[in-house]
Coordinates of all heavy atoms in Angstrom, one line a residue:
T285 N 0.8 -1.2 0.0 CA 0.0 0.0 0.0 C 0.9 1.2 0.0 O 2.0 1.2 0.5 CB -0.9 0.0 1.2 OG1 -0.1 0.0 2.4 CG2 -1.8 -1.2 1.2
P286 N 0.4 2.4 -0.5 CA 1.2 3.6 -0.5 C 1.7 4.1 0.8 O 2.8 4.6 0.9 CB 0.3 4.6 -1.2 CG -0.8 3.9 -1.8 CD -0.9 2.6 -1.1
C287 N 0.9 3.9 1.9 CA 1.4 4.3 3.2 C 2.3 3.3 3.9 O 2.8 3.6 5.0 CB 0.2 4.6 4.1 SG -0.9 3.2 4.4
Q288 N 2.5 2.2 3.3 CA 3.3 1.2 3.9 C 4.8 1.6 3.9 O 5.3 2.1 2.9 CB 3.1 -0.2 3.1 CG 3.7 -1.3 3.8 CD 3.3 -2.6 3.1 OE1 3.0 -2.6 2.0 NE2 3.4 -3.7 3.8
A289 N 5.5 1.4 5.0 CA 6.9 1.8 5.1 C 7.7 0.9 4.1 O 7.4 -0.2 3.9 CB 7.4 1.6 6.5
P290 N 8.8 1.5 3.5 CA 9.7 0.8 2.7 C 10.3 -0.5 3.4 O 10.7 -0.3 4.5 CB 10.8 1.7 2.3 CG 10.2 3.1 2.6 CD 9.2 2.9 3.7
G291 N 10.2 -1.6 2.7 CA 10.8 -2.8 3.3 C 9.8 -3.5 4.3 O 10.2 -4.5 4.8
Q292 N 8.6 -3.0 4.5 CA 7.7 -3.6 5.5 C 7.2 -4.9 5.0 O 7.2 -5.9 5.8 CB 6.5 -2.7 5.7 CG 5.6 -3.1 6.8 CD 6.3 -2.9 8.2 OE1 6.7 -1.8 8.5 NE2 6.3 -3.9 9.0
Q293 N 7.0 -5.1 3.7 CA 6.6 -6.4 3.2 C 7.7 -7.4 3.3 O 7.4 -8.6 3.7 CB 6.2 -6.3 1.7 CG 4.8 -5.8 1.5 CD 4.3 -5.8 0.1 OE1 5.1 -5.7 -0.8 NE2 3.1 -6.0 -0.1
E294 N 8.9 -7.0 3.1 CA 10.1 -7.9 3.3 C 10.2 -8.3 4.7 O 10.5 -9.5 5.0 CB 11.4 -7.3 2.8 CG 11.4 -7.1 1.3 CD 10.7 -5.8 0.8 OE1 10.2 -5.0 1.6 OE2 10.7 -5.7 -0.4
Q295 N 10.0 -7.4 5.7 CA 10.0 -7.7 7.1 C 8.9 -8.7 7.4 O 9.1 -9.7 8.2 CB 9.9 -6.5 8.0 CG 10.0 -6.8 9.4 CD 9.8 -5.6 10.3 OE1 9.7 -4.5 9.8 NE2 9.9 -5.8 11.6
H296 N 7.7 -8.5 6.9 CA 6.6 -9.4 7.2 C 6.9 -10.8 6.6 O 6.7 -11.8 7.3 CB 5.3 -8.9 6.5 CG 4.7 -7.7 7.2 ND1 3.6 -7.0 6.8 CD2 5.0 -7.1 8.4 CE1 3.3 -6.1 7.6 NE2 4.1 -6.1 8.6
L297 N 7.4 -10.9 5.4 CA 7.8 -12.2 4.8 C 8.8 -12.9 5.7 O 8.7 -14.1 5.9 CB 8.3 -12.0 3.4 CG 7.3 -11.8 2.3 CD1 7.9 -11.4 1.0 CD2 6.4 -13.0 2.2
H298 N 9.8 -12.2 6.2 CA 10.9 -12.7 7.0 C 10.2 -13.3 8.3 O 10.6 -14.4 8.7 CB 11.9 -11.7 7.3 CG 13.0 -12.2 8.3 ND1 14.0 -13.1 7.9 CD2 13.2 -12.0 9.6 CE1 14.7 -13.4 8.9 NE2 14.3 -12.7 9.9
L299 N 9.3 -12.5 8.9 CA 8.7 -13.0 10.1 C 7.8 -14.2 9.9 O 7.7 -15.2 10.7 CB 7.9 -11.9 10.8 CG 8.7 -10.7 11.3 CD1 7.8 -9.5 11.7 CD2 9.5 -11.2 12.6
M300 N 7.1 -14.2 8.7 CA 6.3 -15.4 8.4 C 7.1 -16.6 8.1 O 6.7 -17.7 8.5 CB 5.4 -15.1 7.2 CG 4.3 -14.0 7.5 SD 3.1 -13.7 6.2 CE 4.1 -12.7 5.1
M301 N 8.3 -16.5 7.5 CA 9.2 -17.6 7.3 C 9.6 -18.3 8.6 O 9.8 -19.5 8.6 CB 10.4 -17.2 6.5 CG 10.1 -16.9 5.0 SD 9.6 -18.3 4.1 CE 11.0 -19.4 4.2
Q302 N 9.7 -17.5 9.7 CA 10.1 -18.0 10.9 C 9.1 -19.0 11.5 O 9.4 -19.8 12.4 CB 10.4 -16.9 11.9 CG 11.7 -16.1 11.5 CD 12.0 -15.0 12.4 OE1 11.2 -14.6 13.3 NE2 13.1 -14.3 12.2
L303 N 7.8 -18.9 11.1 CA 6.7 -19.8 11.5 C 6.8 -21.2 10.9 O 6.2 -22.1 11.4 CB 5.4 -19.2 11.2 CG 4.9 -17.9 11.9 CD1 3.6 -17.4 11.3 CD2 4.8 -18.1 13.4
L304 N 7.5 -21.3 9.8 CA 7.5 -22.5 9.0 C 8.7 -23.4 9.4 O 9.6 -23.0 10.0 CB 7.7 -22.2 7.5 CG 6.7 -21.2 6.9 CD1 7.0 -20.9 5.5 CD2 5.3 -21.7 7.1
R305 N 8.5 -24.7 9.0 CA 9.6 -25.7 9.1 C 10.7 -25.3 8.2 O 10.5 -24.6 7.2 CB 9.1 -27.1 8.8 CG 7.9 -27.5 9.7 CD 7.4 -28.9 9.2 NE 7.1 -28.9 7.8 CZ 6.6 -29.9 7.2 NH1 6.4 -31.1 7.8 NH2 6.3 -29.9 5.9
P306 N 12.0 -25.7 8.5 CA 13.1 -25.4 7.6 C 12.9 -25.8 6.1 O 13.3 -25.2 5.2 CB 14.3 -26.1 8.2 CG 13.9 -26.3 9.6 CD 12.4 -26.4 9.7
Q307 N 12.2 -27.0 5.9 CA 12.0 -27.5 4.6 C 10.9 -26.9 3.8 O 10.7 -27.1 2.6 CB 11.9 -29.0 4.6 CG 10.6 -29.5 5.2 CD 10.7 -29.8 6.7 OE1 11.5 -29.3 7.4 NE2 9.9 -30.8 7.2
D308 N 10.1 -26.0 4.5 CA 8.9 -25.4 3.8 C 9.3 -24.1 3.1 O 10.3 -23.4 3.5 CB 7.8 -25.1 4.8 CG 7.2 -26.3 5.4 OD1 7.2 -27.3 4.7 OD2 6.6 -26.3 6.5
A309 N 8.5 -23.8 2.1 CA 8.7 -22.5 1.3 C 7.4 -21.9 1.1 O 6.4 -22.6 0.9 CB 9.4 -22.8 0.0
I310 N 7.3 -20.6 1.1 CA 6.1 -19.8 0.7 C 6.1 -19.8 -0.8 O 7.0 -19.2 -1.4 CB 6.2 -18.4 1.3 CG1 6.1 -18.5 2.9 CG2 5.0 -17.6 0.8 CD1 6.3 -17.2 3.6
R311 N 5.0 -20.3 -1.4 CA 4.9 -20.3 -2.8 C 4.1 -19.1 -3.3 O 4.3 -18.6 -4.4 CB 4.1 -21.6 -3.3 CG 4.8 -22.9 -3.0 CD 6.1 -23.0 -3.7 NE 6.7 -24.3 -3.4 CZ 7.9 -24.6 -3.7 NH1 8.7 -23.7 -4.4 NH2 8.4 -25.8 -3.4
L312 N 3.2 -18.6 -2.4 CA 2.4 -17.4 -2.7 C 2.0 -16.8 -1.4 O 1.7 -17.4 -0.4 CB 1.2 -17.8 -3.5 CG 0.2 -16.8 -3.9 CD1 0.8 -15.9 -5.0 CD2 -1.1 -17.4 -4.4
A313 N 2.1 -15.4 -1.4 CA 1.7 -14.7 -0.2 C 0.8 -13.5 -0.7 O 1.2 -12.8 -1.6 CB 2.9 -14.1 0.6
V314 N -0.4 -13.4 -0.1 CA -1.4 -12.4 -0.5 C -1.8 -11.6 0.7 O -2.2 -12.2 1.7 CB -2.6 -13.0 -1.2 CG1 -3.6 -11.9 -1.6 CG2 -2.2 -13.8 -2.4
R315 N -1.6 -10.3 0.7 CA -2.1 -9.5 1.8 C -3.6 -9.3 1.6 O -4.1 -9.0 0.5 CB -1.4 -8.1 1.8 CG -1.8 -7.3 3.0 CD -1.0 -6.1 3.1 NE -1.5 -5.2 4.1 CZ -0.9 -4.3 4.7 NH1 0.4 -4.0 4.4 NH2 -1.4 -3.5 5.6
L316 N -4.3 -9.6 2.7 CA -5.8 -9.5 2.7 C -6.3 -8.2 3.3 O -5.6 -7.6 4.1 CB -6.4 -10.7 3.4 CG -6.0 -12.1 3.0 CD1 -6.5 -13.2 3.9 CD2 -6.4 -12.3 1.5
E317 N -7.5 -7.9 3.0 CA -8.2 -6.8 3.6 C -8.7 -7.3 4.9 O -9.3 -8.4 5.0 CB -9.3 -6.4 2.7 CG -9.8 -5.0 2.9 CD -10.8 -4.6 1.8 OE1 -10.4 -4.3 0.7 OE2 -12.0 -4.7 2.1
S318 N -8.5 -6.5 6.0 CA -8.9 -7.0 7.3 C -10.2 -6.2 7.8 O -10.3 -5.0 7.5 CB -7.8 -6.8 8.3 OG -8.2 -7.1 9.6
A319 N -11.0 -6.8 8.5 CA -12.2 -6.2 9.1 C -11.8 -5.2 10.2 O -12.5 -4.2 10.5 CB -13.2 -7.2 9.6
R320 N -10.7 -5.5 10.9 CA -10.2 -4.7 11.9 C -9.2 -3.6 11.3 O -8.4 -4.0 10.5 CB -9.4 -5.5 13.0 CG -10.4 -6.4 13.7 CD -9.6 -7.1 14.8 NE -10.5 -8.0 15.5 CZ -10.1 -8.9 16.4 NH1 -8.8 -9.0 16.7 NH2 -10.9 -9.7 17.0
P321 N -9.3 -2.4 11.7 CA -8.6 -1.3 11.0 C -7.1 -1.5 11.0 O -6.4 -1.2 10.0 CB -9.0 -0.1 11.7 CG -10.0 -0.4 12.7 CD -10.2 -1.9 12.7
R322 N -6.5 -1.9 12.1 CA -5.0 -1.9 12.2 C -4.4 -3.3 11.9 O -3.2 -3.4 11.7 CB -4.6 -1.5 13.6 CG -5.0 0.0 13.9 CD -4.4 0.5 15.2 NE -3.0 0.5 15.2 CZ -2.2 0.2 16.2 NH1 -2.7 0.0 17.4 NH2 -0.9 0.2 16.1
R323 N -5.2 -4.3 12.0 CA -4.7 -5.7 11.8 C -4.2 -5.9 10.4 O -4.9 -5.4 9.4 CB -5.8 -6.7 12.1 CG -5.2 -8.1 12.0 CD -5.9 -9.1 12.8 NE -6.2 -8.6 14.2 CZ -5.8 -9.3 15.3 NH1 -5.1 -10.4 15.2 NH2 -6.1 -8.8 16.4
V324 N -3.1 -6.6 10.2 CA -2.6 -6.9 8.9 C -2.7 -8.4 8.7 O -2.2 -9.2 9.6 CB -1.1 -6.5 8.7 CG1 -0.5 -6.9 7.4 CG2 -1.0 -5.0 8.9
R325 N -3.3 -8.9 7.6 CA -3.5 -10.3 7.4 C -2.9 -10.7 6.1 O -3.0 -10.0 5.1 CB -5.0 -10.6 7.5 CG -5.5 -10.4 8.8 CD -6.9 -11.1 8.9 NE -7.1 -11.5 10.4 CZ -8.2 -11.6 10.9 NH1 -9.3 -11.5 10.3 NH2 -8.2 -11.9 12.2
Y326 N -2.4 -12.0 6.1 CA -1.9 -12.6 4.8 C -2.4 -14.0 4.7 O -2.7 -14.7 5.7 CB -0.3 -12.7 4.9 CG 0.4 -11.4 4.8 CD1 0.7 -10.6 5.9 CD2 0.8 -10.9 3.5 CE1 1.4 -9.4 5.7 CE2 1.5 -9.7 3.4 CZ 1.8 -9.0 4.5 OH 2.5 -7.8 4.4
L327 N -2.6 -14.4 3.5 CA -2.9 -15.8 3.1 C -1.7 -16.3 2.4 O -1.2 -15.8 1.4 CB -4.2 -15.8 2.2 CG -4.6 -17.2 1.8 CD1 -5.1 -18.0 3.0 CD2 -5.7 -17.2 0.8
L328 N -1.2 -17.4 2.9 CA 0.0 -18.0 2.4 C -0.3 -19.4 1.8 O -1.0 -20.2 2.3 CB 1.1 -18.2 3.4 CG 1.5 -17.1 4.3 CD1 2.6 -17.5 5.3 CD2 2.0 -15.9 3.4
L329 N 0.3 -19.7 0.7 CA 0.3 -21.0 0.1 C 1.7 -21.6 0.4 O 2.7 -21.0 -0.1 CB 0.1 -21.0 -1.4 CG 0.1 -22.4 -2.1 CD1 -1.0 -23.2 -1.6 CD2 0.0 -22.2 -3.6
V330 N 1.8 -22.7 1.2 CA 3.1 -23.2 1.7 C 3.2 -24.6 1.2 O 2.3 -25.4 1.3 CB 3.1 -23.1 3.2 CG1 4.4 -23.7 3.8 CG2 3.0 -21.6 3.7
R331 N 4.4 -25.0 0.8 CA 4.7 -26.4 0.4 C 6.2 -26.6 0.6 O 7.1 -25.8 0.5 CB 4.4 -26.5 -1.1 CG 4.6 -27.9 -1.6 CD 4.0 -28.2 -3.0 NE 4.8 -27.4 -3.9 CZ 4.4 -27.0 -5.1 NH1 3.2 -27.2 -5.5 NH2 5.2 -26.4 -5.9
P332 N 6.6 -27.9 1.0 CA 8.0 -28.2 1.2 C 8.7 -28.1 -0.2 O 8.1 -28.2 -1.2 CB 8.0 -29.7 1.6 CG 6.6 -29.9 2.2 CD 5.7 -29.0 1.4
E333 N 10.0 -27.8 -0.1 CA 10.8 -27.6 -1.3 C 11.2 -28.9 -2.0 O 11.5 -28.9 -3.2 CB 12.0 -26.8 -1.0 CG 11.7 -25.3 -0.6 CD 12.9 -24.5 -0.5 OE1 14.0 -25.0 -0.2 OE2 12.8 -23.2 -0.7
E334 N 11.1 -30.0 -1.3 CA 11.5 -31.3 -1.9 C 10.6 -31.7 -3.0 O 9.4 -31.4 -3.0 CB 11.7 -32.4 -0.9 CG 10.4 -32.7 -0.1 CD 10.6 -32.7 1.4 OE1 11.6 -32.2 1.9 OE2 9.7 -33.2 2.0
A335 N 11.1 -32.4 -4.0 CA 10.3 -32.9 -5.1 C 9.2 -33.9 -4.7 O 9.5 -34.7 -3.8 CB 11.2 -33.5 -6.2
G336 N 8.0 -33.8 -5.2 CA 7.0 -34.8 -4.9 C 6.3 -34.5 -3.6 O 5.6 -35.4 -3.1
A337 N 6.4 -33.3 -3.0 CA 5.8 -33.0 -1.7 C 4.5 -32.3 -1.9 O 4.1 -31.6 -0.9 CB 6.8 -32.3 -0.9
E338 N 3.9 -32.3 -3.0 CA 2.7 -31.6 -3.2 C 1.6 -32.0 -2.2 O 0.7 -31.2 -1.9 CB 2.1 -31.7 -4.7 CG 3.0 -31.0 -5.7 CD 4.2 -31.8 -6.1 OE1 4.3 -33.0 -5.9 OE2 5.1 -31.2 -6.7
A339 N 1.7 -33.2 -1.7 CA 0.7 -33.7 -0.8 C 0.7 -33.0 0.5 O -0.3 -33.0 1.3 CB 0.9 -35.2 -0.6
E340 N 1.8 -32.2 0.8 CA 1.9 -31.5 2.0 C 1.6 -30.0 1.9 O 1.9 -29.2 2.7 CB 3.3 -31.7 2.6 CG 3.6 -33.1 2.9 CD 5.0 -33.3 3.5 OE1 5.5 -32.4 4.2 OE2 5.6 -34.3 3.3
T341 N 0.9 -29.6 0.8 CA 0.6 -28.2 0.6 C -0.5 -27.8 1.5 O -1.4 -28.5 1.9 CB 0.1 -28.0 -0.9 OG1 1.2 -28.5 -1.8 CG2 -0.2 -26.6 -1.2
A342 N -0.4 -26.5 2.0 CA -1.4 -26.0 3.0 C -1.6 -24.5 2.7 O -0.7 -23.8 2.3 CB -0.9 -26.2 4.4
L343 N -2.7 -24.0 3.1 CA -3.0 -22.6 3.1 C -2.9 -22.2 4.6 O -3.4 -22.8 5.5 CB -4.4 -22.3 2.7 CG -4.7 -22.4 1.2 CD1 -6.2 -22.1 0.9 CD2 -3.9 -21.4 0.4
L344 N -2.2 -21.1 4.8 CA -2.0 -20.6 6.2 C -2.5 -19.1 6.2 O -2.2 -18.3 5.4 CB -0.5 -20.5 6.6 CG 0.3 -21.9 6.5 CD1 1.7 -21.6 7.0 CD2 -0.4 -22.9 7.4
G345 N -3.3 -18.8 7.3 CA -3.7 -17.5 7.6 C -2.8 -16.9 8.6 O -2.6 -17.5 9.7
V346 N -2.1 -15.8 8.3 CA -1.2 -15.2 9.3 C -1.6 -13.8 9.6 O -2.0 -13.0 8.8 CB 0.3 -15.1 8.6 CG1 1.3 -14.5 9.6 CG2 0.7 -16.5 8.2
D347 N -1.6 -13.5 10.9 CA -2.0 -12.2 11.4 C -0.9 -11.4 12.1 O -0.1 -12.0 12.8 CB -3.1 -12.4 12.5 CG -4.4 -13.0 11.9 OD1 -4.8 -12.7 10.8 OD2 -4.9 -13.9 12.6
F348 N -0.8 -10.1 11.8 CA 0.0 -9.2 12.5 C -0.9 -8.2 13.3 O -1.9 -7.7 12.7 CB 0.9 -8.4 11.5 CG 2.0 -9.2 10.9 CD1 1.7 -9.9 9.7 CD2 3.3 -9.2 11.4 CE1 2.7 -10.6 9.1 CE2 4.3 -9.9 10.8 CZ 4.0 -10.6 9.6
A349 N -0.6 -7.9 14.5 CA -1.5 -7.0 15.3 C -1.6 -5.6 14.7 O -2.6 -5.0 14.8 CB -1.0 -6.9 16.7
H350 N -0.5 -5.1 14.1 CA -0.5 -3.8 13.4 C 0.7 -3.8 12.4 O 1.5 -4.7 12.3 CB -0.3 -2.7 14.5 CG 0.8 -2.9 15.4 ND1 2.1 -2.5 15.0 CD2 0.9 -3.4 16.6 CE1 3.0 -2.7 16.0 NE2 2.3 -3.4 17.0
E351 N 0.7 -2.8 11.7 CA 1.7 -2.7 10.6 C 3.1 -2.9 11.0 O 3.9 -3.6 10.3 CB 1.6 -1.3 9.9 CG 2.3 -1.1 8.6 CD 1.5 -1.8 7.5 OE1 0.3 -1.7 7.4 OE2 2.2 -2.4 6.6
G352 N 3.6 -2.4 12.1 CA 5.0 -2.5 12.5 C 5.2 -3.6 13.5 O 6.3 -3.6 14.2
A353 N 4.3 -4.5 13.7 CA 4.5 -5.6 14.6 C 5.7 -6.4 14.4 O 6.1 -6.6 13.2 CB 3.3 -6.5 14.6
T354 N 6.4 -6.9 15.4 CA 7.6 -7.7 15.3 C 7.4 -9.2 15.5 O 8.4 -9.9 15.5 CB 8.6 -7.2 16.4 OG1 8.1 -7.3 17.7 CG2 9.0 -5.7 16.1
H355 N 6.2 -9.6 15.5 CA 5.8 -11.0 15.5 C 4.5 -11.2 14.9 O 3.7 -10.3 14.8 CB 5.9 -11.6 16.9 CG 4.8 -11.2 17.8 ND1 4.8 -10.0 18.4 CD2 3.6 -11.8 18.1 CE1 3.7 -9.9 19.2 NE2 3.0 -11.0 19.0
C356 N 4.2 -12.4 14.4 CA 2.9 -12.8 13.8 C 2.4 -14.1 14.4 O 3.2 -14.8 15.0 CB 3.1 -12.8 12.3 SG 4.3 -14.0 11.7
T357 N 1.1 -14.3 14.2 CA 0.5 -15.5 14.7 C -0.2 -16.2 13.5 O -0.7 -15.6 12.6 CB -0.5 -15.2 15.8 OG1 -1.5 -14.3 15.3 CG2 0.2 -14.6 17.0
L358 N -0.4 -17.6 13.7 CA -1.2 -18.3 12.7 C -2.6 -18.3 13.2 O -3.0 -18.6 14.3 CB -0.7 -19.8 12.7 CG 0.5 -20.2 11.9 CD1 0.8 -21.6 12.1 CD2 0.3 -19.8 10.5
G359 N -3.5 -17.9 12.2 CA -4.9 -17.8 12.5 C -5.7 -18.9 11.9 O -6.8 -19.2 12.2
M360 N -5.1 -19.6 10.9 CA -5.7 -20.6 10.1 C -4.7 -21.6 9.5 O -3.7 -21.1 9.0 CB -6.6 -20.0 9.0 CG -7.3 -21.1 8.2 SD -8.0 -20.5 6.7 CE -6.6 -20.3 5.7
V361 N -5.0 -22.8 9.5 CA -4.2 -23.8 8.8 C -5.2 -24.7 8.0 O -6.0 -25.4 8.7 CB -3.3 -24.7 9.7 CG1 -2.6 -25.8 9.0 CG2 -2.3 -23.8 10.5
L362 N -5.1 -24.8 6.7 CA -6.0 -25.6 5.9 C -5.1 -26.5 5.0 O -4.6 -26.0 4.0 CB -6.9 -24.7 5.1 CG -7.8 -25.4 4.1 CD1 -8.9 -26.2 4.9 CD2 -8.5 -24.4 3.2
P363 N -5.0 -27.8 5.3 CA -4.3 -28.6 4.4 C -5.0 -28.8 3.0 O -6.2 -28.8 3.0 CB -4.2 -30.0 5.1 CG -5.1 -29.9 6.3 CD -5.5 -28.5 6.4
L364 N -4.3 -28.8 1.9 CA -4.9 -29.0 0.6 C -4.6 -30.4 0.1 O -3.4 -30.8 0.0 CB -4.3 -28.0 -0.4 CG -4.6 -26.5 -0.1 CD1 -3.9 -25.6 -1.1 CD2 -6.1 -26.3 0.0
W365 N -5.6 -31.2 -0.1 CA -5.4 -32.5 -0.6 C -5.6 -32.5 -2.1 O -6.0 -31.5 -2.7 CB -6.5 -33.5 0.0 CG -6.5 -33.3 1.5 CD1 -7.4 -32.8 2.3 CD2 -5.4 -33.7 2.4 NE1 -7.1 -32.8 3.6 CE2 -5.8 -33.4 3.7 CE3 -4.2 -34.3 2.2 CZ2 -5.0 -33.7 4.8 CZ3 -3.4 -34.6 3.3 CH2 -3.8 -34.3 4.6
S366 N -5.3 -33.6 -2.8 CA -5.3 -33.6 -4.2 C -6.7 -33.3 -4.8 O -6.8 -32.9 -5.9 CB -4.8 -35.0 -4.7 OG -5.6 -36.0 -4.3
D367 N -7.7 -33.6 -4.1 CA -9.1 -33.4 -4.6 C -9.8 -32.1 -4.0 O -11.0 -32.0 -4.1 CB -10.0 -34.6 -4.4 CG -10.1 -35.0 -2.9 OD1 -9.3 -34.4 -2.1 OD2 -10.9 -35.8 -2.6
T368 N -9.0 -31.3 -3.3 CA -9.5 -30.1 -2.7 C -9.8 -29.0 -3.7 O -8.9 -28.8 -4.6 CB -8.6 -29.6 -1.6 OG1 -8.4 -30.6 -0.6 CG2 -9.1 -28.3 -0.9
Q369 N -10.9 -28.3 -3.6 CA -11.2 -27.1 -4.4 C -11.4 -26.0 -3.4 O -12.2 -26.1 -2.5 CB -12.4 -27.3 -5.3 CG -12.2 -28.3 -6.4 CD -13.5 -28.3 -7.3 OE1 -14.6 -28.2 -6.8 NE2 -13.2 -28.5 -8.6
V370 N -10.7 -24.9 -3.6 CA -10.8 -23.7 -2.8 C -11.3 -22.6 -3.6 O -10.8 -22.3 -4.7 CB -9.4 -23.3 -2.2 CG1 -9.6 -22.0 -1.4 CG2 -8.9 -24.4 -1.4
F371 N -12.4 -22.0 -3.1 CA -13.0 -20.8 -3.8 C -13.0 -19.6 -2.9 O -13.5 -19.7 -1.7 CB -14.5 -21.1 -4.2 CG -14.7 -22.2 -5.1 CD1 -14.9 -23.5 -4.7 CD2 -14.5 -22.0 -6.5 CE1 -15.1 -24.6 -5.6 CE2 -14.7 -23.0 -7.4 CZ -14.9 -24.3 -6.9
L372 N -12.3 -18.6 -3.3 CA -12.3 -17.3 -2.5 C -13.3 -16.4 -3.1 O -13.3 -16.1 -4.3 CB -10.9 -16.7 -2.6 CG -9.8 -17.6 -2.0 CD1 -8.4 -16.9 -2.2 CD2 -10.0 -18.0 -0.6
D373 N -14.2 -15.9 -2.3 CA -15.3 -15.1 -2.7 C -15.4 -13.9 -2.0 O -15.0 -13.8 -0.8 CB -16.6 -15.9 -2.6 CG -17.8 -15.3 -3.3 OD1 -17.6 -14.4 -4.1 OD2 -18.9 -15.6 -3.0
G374 N -15.9 -12.8 -2.6 CA -16.0 -11.5 -1.9 C -15.3 -10.4 -2.6 O -14.6 -10.7 -3.6
D375 N -15.4 -9.2 -2.1 CA -14.8 -8.1 -2.7 C -13.5 -7.7 -2.0 O -12.9 -6.7 -2.3 CB -15.7 -6.9 -2.8 CG -16.2 -6.5 -1.4 OD1 -15.7 -7.1 -0.4 OD2 -16.9 -5.5 -1.3
G376 N -13.0 -8.5 -1.0 CA -11.8 -8.2 -0.3 C -10.7 -9.1 -0.7 O -9.6 -9.0 -0.6

């Protein structure tokens, strides 16, 4: 966002990586619109880096209390199986 401090997204990514196992990698990170004014939320697609590990793919919901927070928490963990379909709906 325009009001976001330079490097803030990089700091958020670094903090989110600390939540993961060493073999995991963030494949996609999307900043979400939050219902709470100061809360910062991300949706992550996480999968191990080793070949053939698609079965361990998961969606993670990560929360920061505010823009400059120095830690984050997991708000959701949704494992994705081979037959899972995920639909994101809404205007946020």
Side-chain angles (χ1 to χ4, degrees):
T285 61
C287 63
Q288 191 173 20
Q292 191 70 52
Q293 280 186 327
E294 289 83 3
Q295 181 182 1
H296 285 173
L297 282 171
H298 177 73
L299 292 169
M300 290 185 285
M301 286 295 296
Q302 292 177 353
L303 293 174
L304 306 179
R305 302 175 304 180
Q307 68 266 29
D308 290 336
I310 296 175
R311 300 295 183 188
L312 179 68
V314 178
R315 184 171 171 162
L316 303 174
E317 203 173 279
S318 178
R320 294 185 181 170
R322 296 187 64 212
R323 182 155 316 236
V324 178
R325 293 194 151 156
Y326 287 89
L327 181 66
L328 306 179
L329 178 66
V330 176
R331 184 171 68 206
E333 291 187 334
E334 61 230 17
E338 288 82 18
E340 297 181 33
T341 301
L343 287 176
L344 303 180
V346 179
D347 298 317
F348 289 86
H350 54 84
E351 193 74 41
T354 58
H355 71 281
C356 55
T357 58
L358 278 177
M360 178 194 76
V361 176
L362 176 66
L364 297 178
W365 308 110
S366 62
D367 59 348
T368 299
Q369 289 183 324
V370 177
F371 297 96
L372 301 177
D373 190 16
D375 60 0

